[in-house]
């Protein structure tokens, strides 16, 4: 069963195939109206469930549009409206959903929910973000980097900010795609220790960004963080804002990425987000293409 649960749980060969396939599918439909199906319809007669226990714009829309372009059908479900939100076990939900649909994408809080879904489903399961990782995002980011600058292997990627779920998937990707990943942020918001062997930690953001090929950040307060932590996090992270001054330490042709949604002029300034280094909307677009390739890999179609 090809579940797509995390980047480090997927082989390097399969990851490379997914990125290259995403790029070729993107090119194949270049310029076609958004509502036109692809020339190939690999998901014809397939039903895909998209389950959300947290809000989403990009993940929801890109998965839904992607399935439709490939000839399949979607059910977009809110966890709170399912029996899942009223005490039915994940295992039973997984067994039942597998009788109706061919593929399940879930965005949830605890990683344990995703893993239980994958254990008991008899159809492939895709991680659409948990508190711990966000692999679909980083597949789109690798695709975006390579479309602009060529192979990401050996490049220097710097993350400035919170050592959160999106960062964790960057760390998994560093292992698999062979790039150097530097984390700069306060010690209190360090990534989980299991990631430390795969990254370099540098507390000084200007030093960290020296010679970077790619600078990335994300919101200072994630969906799973308590609202009460907002002020403390802002105070700890203020010095790690990605602004033009910080970007000036990177290579002149460095790219800037943010998975979005952004809090403009908090974790990154609008000058950077809308400036010459930024590829944030290409990243958002590439969610569509990367996830289409992920779904085809999961289903073997
Ligand atoms: N980047 C991302 O996953 O965005 P959404 O929360 O809008 O899906
Ligand atoms: N770290 C963010 C990513 C949102 C796409 C969150 O989990 O809220």
């Amino acid at each position: 069963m090809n579940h797509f649960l995390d980047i480090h749980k997927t082989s390097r060969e399969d990851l490379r195939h997914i990125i290259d396939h995403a790029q070729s599918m993107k090119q194949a439909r270049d310029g076609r109206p958004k509502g036109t199906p692809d020339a190939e319809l690999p998901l014809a007669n397939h039903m895909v469930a998209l389950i959300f226990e947290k809000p989403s714009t990009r993940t929801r829309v890109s998965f839904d549009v992607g399935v439709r372009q490939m000839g399949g059908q979607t059910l977009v479900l809110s966890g709170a409206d399912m029996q899942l939100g009223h005490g039915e076990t994940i295992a039973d939900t997984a067994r039942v959903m597998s009788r109706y649909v061919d593929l399940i994408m879930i965005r949830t809080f605890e990683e344990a929910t995703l893993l239980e879904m994958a254990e008991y489903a008899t159809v492939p399961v895709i991680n659409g973000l948990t508190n711990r990782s966000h692999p679909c995002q980083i597949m789109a980011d690798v695709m975006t980097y390579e479309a602009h600058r060529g192979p990401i292997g050996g490049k220097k990627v710097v993350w400035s900010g919170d050592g959160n779920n999106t960062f964790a998937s960057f760390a998994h990707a560093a292992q698999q795609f062979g790039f150097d990943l530097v984390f700069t942020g306060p010690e209190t918001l360090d990534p989980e220790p299991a990631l430390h062997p795969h990254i370099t930690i540098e507390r000084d953001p200007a030093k960290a960004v020296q010679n970077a090929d790619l600078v990335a950040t994300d919101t200072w307060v994630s969906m799973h963080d308590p609202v009460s932590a907002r002020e403390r996090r802002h105070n700890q992270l203020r010095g790690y804002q990605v602004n033009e001054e910080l970007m000036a330490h990177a290579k002149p042709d460095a790219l800037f990425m943010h998975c979005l949604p952004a809090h403009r002029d908090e974790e990154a300034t609008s000058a950077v987000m809308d400036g010459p280094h930024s590829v944030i909307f290409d990243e958002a677009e590439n969610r569509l293409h990367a996830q289409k390739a992920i779904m085809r890999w999961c289903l073997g179609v």
Side-chain angles (χ1 to χ4, degrees), residues 6-8 129-135 137-138 141 157-175 179-185 189-202 216-219 222 224 259:
D6 264 319
I7 290 177
H8 64 306
L129 178 147
T130 69
N131 295 359
R132 213 163 166 206
S133 64
H134 194 6
Q137 178 66 51
I138 303 308
D141 290 359
V157 177
V158 180
W159 177 276
S160 186
D162 181 19
N164 65 12
N165 46 4
T166 309
F167 175 81
S169 287
F170 256 120
H172 298 151
Q175 284 169 250
F179 57 84
D180 296 328
L181 181 61
V182 179
F183 170 81
T184 186
L189 298 173
D190 265 353
E192 58 177 288
L195 301 174
H196 291 200
H198 309 291
I199 64 175
T200 305
I201 297 180
E202 167 57 63
T217 190
D218 186 9
T219 180
S222 283
H224 59 271
C259 63

Side-chain angles (χ1 to χ4, degrees), residues 47-300:
M47 184 64 78
V48 179
L50 309 174
I51 303 174
F52 290 90
E53 295 198 300
K54 288 174 176 168
S56 168
T57 297
R58 279 142 289 267
T59 306
R60 182 186 310 249
V61 178
S62 57
F63 266 104
D64 198 346
V65 170
V67 172
R68 292 177 199 221
Q69 288 182 353
M70 296 193 291
Q73 298 188 62
T74 56
L75 290 163
V76 184
L77 303 159
S78 148
D81 295 337
M82 298 171 71
Q83 299 293 9
L84 188 61
H86 300 272
E88 185 167 24
T89 65
I90 309 297
D92 285 348
T93 305
R95 292 178 179 114
V96 170
M97 294 297 292
S98 301
R99 301 287 179 112
Y100 301 130
V101 306
D102 302 293
L103 178 64
I104 299 168
M105 191 282 325
I106 180 164
R107 165 169 288 194
T108 186
F109 287 86
E110 300 305 325
E111 183 182 51
T113 305
L114 170 80
L115 298 180
E116 193 173 338
M117 186 71 82
E119 184 176 351
Y120 292 97
T122 56
V123 299
V125 173
I126 297 176
N127 177 358
L129 178 147
T130 69
N131 295 359
R132 213 163 166 206
S133 64
H134 194 6
C136 291
Q137 178 66 51
I138 303 308
M139 292 298 279
D141 290 359
V142 169
M143 178 185 171
T144 305
Y145 183 87
E146 296 198 334
H148 283 272
R149 295 283 184 267
I152 197 166
K155 300 294 180 184
K156 178 176 177 181
V157 177
V158 180
W159 177 276
S160 186
D162 181 19
N164 65 12
N165 46 4
T166 309
F167 175 81
S169 287
F170 256 120
H172 298 151
Q175 284 169 250
Q176 298 295 69
F177 289 96
F179 57 84
D180 296 328
L181 181 61
V182 179
F183 170 81
T184 186
E187 196 174 347
T188 44
L189 298 173
D190 265 353
E192 58 177 288
L195 301 174
H196 291 200
H198 309 291
I199 64 175
T200 305
I201 297 180
E202 167 57 63
R203 299 285 168 220
D204 178 344
K207 265 195 206 157
V209 167
Q210 252 350 301
N211 224 22
D213 295 289
L214 167 61
V215 179
T217 190
D218 186 9
T219 180
W220 288 342
V221 187
S222 283
M223 292 183 274
H224 59 271
D225 290 321
V227 180
S228 57
R230 187 177 182 280
E231 196 180 328
R232 181 169 43 82
R233 285 175 156 266
H234 275 236
N235 288 335
Q236 290 171 329
L237 285 160
R238 196 159 288 124
Y240 294 93
Q241 182 192 64
V242 182
N243 49 39
E244 287 172 301
E245 195 189 328
L246 187 64
M247 285 304 294
H249 295 280
K251 283 190 182 157
D253 70 342
L255 297 181
F256 169 72
M257 290 194 187
H258 189 311
C259 63
L260 304 178
H263 299 78
R264 282 177 173 262
D265 301 312
E266 291 181 6
E267 68 269 15
T269 59
S270 284
V272 169
M273 290 180 63
D274 302 325
H277 300 284
S278 177
V279 290
I280 57 176
F281 299 112
D282 291 344
E283 286 179 82
E285 176 183 343
N286 287 336
R287 294 292 302 280
L288 169 67
H289 308 293
Q291 288 157 193
K292 285 169 72 176
I294 291 169
M295 288 188 277
R296 290 186 70 168
W297 174 80
C298 285
L299 291 165

